[in-house]
Amino acid sequence: MTMPHTRGYLEDDAPAPPTLRLQLGALQTLCRQTFAVRLAALLVGTPFALANTGTGAPRYAALAAAVLGITASYAMLRDWHRFGPRVLAHPGLMALDLLFVATLLFAASPASPLAYATVCTPLLSGLLYGWRGTGVLTGLQLVVLVTVFRAWSHHPGAGANTALLAGFCVAAGVIGVTLRNLVFRFGAAGQALAEVNARLAVAEALAAERARLAREMHDSVAKTLHGLALTAEALAASADHADSGTLKRQAVTVAAAARRAATESRHVLTHLRTRTDTQAPADLAEELRAHAADFTARTDIPTTLDLGAHPDLPPDTVHHLLAITSEALENVRRHARAGHVRLTLATAPPDALVLRVEDDGTGLPQPVPQLADLTRSGHFGLLGMAERARSLGGDLSLTGGPLGGTVVEVRAPALPAPHKEAAHV
């Protein structure tokens, strides 16, 4: 079912939007209300019309026309969802409505209160057919009015009431077309807004995925490749004077680093293809212990653990917190020249989880650089840490420690893993 649309001298007609479901629903409601107005006008006007009509055939004719109009209006009001599409697709069916108008006017006269129920015809045609359909149907109704006026010209007030009724018909047609165009224009604007919102959502999703991929690459493959490069440089520097055992150990280290980079790359690619979060939540405390032990083994920097009680966390939360911890520890190794690291996990009221990595090294440069400055200079670690904290609904802070050094603190909601909660019930 399509809404008729005309061009040429009637280009003010608003074109129907590609998606018509909502717009047709609004038009159907307006059409139903039109028949409700006609039904009310007939019910209210019938007693007055009969009181002012002579006895005999004129009264019976007016009563018959009123009963016909009331019955037809009620049927259209109740079953417009069935009749409406047919009337919309076949404008010729409006001839039946014009026939009713002519019958009512000839039976009751233009001066009768029932005559004002005929104004609904141009209003309905405006809602359904636009300017051209309204112009044709309103013109035919005006012809009916002129014909009826000639038949009732002897009746007192027939001329004035006919002119008033003609003005109402023209105004009703204009109102109907205006409402129709407003419905379509609002529909087109709503559709355009929905398309813009959809494009923005896609753009935001792409930006978020690019940022996530950048963090994953920085926190895994990029670090491993950096270590691989350093090891390869050491191997090249010692190639001329080192013994074969040392060279062999360094070569094994290079090979292990290369394999680790390949494994991390496969993990990133697998996560890109599957993006599933159905794995069981990891134990954050155990993972932090493993991270601390590995850090101490690699750097000979003692690490103190203070791991308080905390709820079981979803996999994504554990993943982000461990990635932040790894990046903070890597910054300690590279830049802090620290002699000790303290790793703290605790809960804070009302329901926050606090993860803190504190060292006693050289501390933050003064003035403290902003994230934007670090990004422009190619240091993406702190930016990734801040983005991970925000993705958890928390925040990241960098401050100086009480004895020097740097404190990296993440504060995020301690939302438990849903299926773990169900297991405790």
Side-chain angles (χ1 to χ4, degrees):
M1 178 176 60
T2 58
M3 184 67 66
H5 172 57
T6 57
R7 304 301 296 172
Y9 66 91
L10 297 175
E11 289 186 355
D12 286 339
D13 269 354
T19 55
L20 279 172
R21 184 179 299 276
L22 181 62
Q23 288 71 38
L24 286 179
L27 282 180
Q28 286 193 11
T29 300
L30 291 173
C31 291
R32 287 171 61 91
Q33 296 304 317
T34 301
F35 282 104
V37 170
R38 172 179 283 181
L39 181 61
L42 291 172
L43 290 174
V44 172
T46 298
F48 295 97
L50 295 178
N52 296 323
T53 304
T55 59
R59 176 172 293 185
Y60 291 132
L63 179 60
V67 171
L68 174 63
I70 291 172
T71 304
S73 298
Y74 175 73
M76 297 296 285
L77 176 62
R78 185 189 62 184
D79 297 323
W80 178 252
H81 63 281
R82 289 196 303 168
F83 297 121
R86 293 179 174 82
V87 176
L88 184 62
H90 305 286
L93 293 176
M94 287 296 294
L96 298 176
D97 200 74
L98 283 174
L99 180 60
F100 160 72
V101 167
T103 303
L104 187 63
L105 290 174
F106 274 112
S109 83
S112 171
L114 295 177
Y116 292 94
T118 62
V119 174
C120 295
T121 298
L123 177 61
L124 184 65
S125 63
L127 292 172
L128 293 176
Y129 308 122
W131 286 115
R132 176 167 294 177
T134 303
V136 171
L137 290 169
T138 303
L140 292 175
Q141 184 154 346
L142 293 178
V143 171
V144 171
L145 282 173
V146 171
T147 305
V148 171
F149 167 71
R150 291 179 177 177
W152 287 87
S153 59
H154 61 281
H155 192 278
N161 282 281
T162 300
L164 184 61
L165 196 58
F168 281 155
C169 288
V170 173
V174 173
I175 292 172
V177 176
T178 302
L179 290 175
R180 175 184 183 274
N181 289 342
L182 284 175
V183 168
F184 281 171
R185 288 192 174 104
F186 277 128
Q191 182 182 355
L193 180 60
E195 291 175 353
V196 170
N197 289 336
R199 286 195 293 268
L200 289 176
V202 171
E204 291 175 358
L206 289 175
E209 184 63 16
R210 291 177 63 183
R212 187 197 67 80
L213 181 58
R215 290 194 300 267
E216 297 296 335
M217 295 293 291
H218 176 275
D219 294 342
S220 59
V221 181
K223 288 181 180 178
T224 303
L225 292 177
H226 178 73
L228 176 62
L230 293 178
T231 306
E233 289 174 356
L235 177 61
S238 60
D240 295 333
H241 53 79
D243 58 84
S244 59
T246 301
L247 292 176
K248 183 177 180 179
R249 286 193 300 273
Q250 290 178 337
V252 170
T253 302
V254 170
R259 284 193 296 270
R260 187 164 61 251
T263 301
E264 291 169 348
S265 299
R266 284 195 298 271
H267 286 168
V268 171
L269 293 174
T270 301
H271 189 60
L272 282 174
R273 289 185 177 277
T274 59
R275 293 305 304 272
T276 177
D277 296 326
T278 58
Q279 66 270 28
D283 188 330
L284 179 59
E286 290 299 325
E287 293 291 334
L288 290 175
R289 290 190 184 95
H291 276 58
D294 177 72
F295 177 75
T296 301
R298 288 188 295 108
T299 63
D300 293 328
I301 300 175
T303 303
T304 301
L305 296 174
D306 184 5
L307 305 179
H310 63 281
D312 292 327
L313 301 171
D316 276 351
T317 302
V318 174
H319 174 72
H320 287 308
L321 291 176
L322 290 176
I324 292 172
T325 303
S326 296
E327 180 64 23
L329 292 175
E330 184 66 18
N331 288 338
V332 171
R333 184 188 70 81
R334 291 184 182 180
H335 310 297
R337 296 195 293 274
H340 182 265
V341 175
R342 185 178 185 85
L343 188 58
T344 304
L345 177 66
T347 55
D351 58 352
L353 186 70
V354 179
L355 176 65
R356 186 181 298 111
V357 181
E358 181 179 358
D359 67 75
D360 61 353
T362 57
L364 295 169
Q366 299 297 327
V368 178
Q370 300 296 317
L371 288 178
D373 299 331
L374 293 171
T375 302
R376 282 192 293 269
S377 61
H379 297 84
F380 297 102
L382 287 178
L383 176 63
M385 294 164 67
E387 289 177 346
R388 290 184 185 276
R390 284 196 298 270
S391 71
L392 297 176
D395 57 77
L396 176 82
S397 63
L398 282 79
T399 58
L403 300 177
T406 303
V407 177
V408 178
E409 181 178 286
V410 181
R411 185 177 293 263
L415 300 177
H419 58 283
K420 276 291 186 180
E421 283 188 334
H424 292 316
V425 174

